Amino acid sequence: NRCRKGSPTGEVDEASGKAFVVEGSNNAKLRVQFFWPFRGDYWILDLADDYSYAVVGTPSRKYFWILSRQRAMDNDLLNKLLSRLQKQGFDISKVQRTDQSCSE
């Protein structure tokens, strides 16, 4: 995981982890370990047929991420995904859109 703190030109913050596929999940559930011995559950909740976006969340429904291969996701698609997440019990009121204007 990698991001910039505070702005698109801010300091890079990075965390490396290892992902393990949960057996029998058809590759839809991962156990991710950022430091031993702790692992977190990350489930693939939605995936575009062309892999242009993925929605990943935790089974507790406390966290989710909408990942896109494009810097800006179409607002109609984003709203559709958020609606699906809300129907699945995720709190979408705290969604923060990431500024992707950096050319890097």
Side-chain angles (χ1 to χ4, degrees), residues 45-101:
L45 305 172
D46 202 340
L47 182 64
D49 291 338
D50 63 357
Y51 297 92
S52 59
Y53 70 82
V55 181
V56 178
T58 60
S60 67
R61 291 175 171 70
K62 186 173 181 180
Y63 301 105
F64 68 88
W65 300 265
I66 298 174
L67 310 170
S68 175
R69 292 189 181 270
Q70 302 299 316
R71 287 192 187 274
M73 180 177 267
D74 175 75
N75 278 327
D76 289 338
L77 174 58
L78 177 61
N79 290 331
K80 183 173 148 182
L81 296 173
L82 289 171
S83 177
R84 286 185 200 163
L85 286 163
Q86 187 172 38
K87 288 176 185 172
Q88 293 175 27
F90 288 89
D91 179 4
I92 64 167
S93 69
K94 297 178 183 173
V95 168
Q96 295 180 12
R97 290 191 76 163
T98 304
D99 182 352
Q100 299 288 342
S101 62

Side-chain angles (χ1 to χ4, degrees), residues 1-15 102 104:
N1 291 345
R2 190 170 116 181
C3 68
R4 292 190 173 270
K5 292 183 177 181
S7 76
T9 57
E11 177 186 346
V12 173
D13 186 17
E14 188 170 79
C102 186
E104 197 174 5

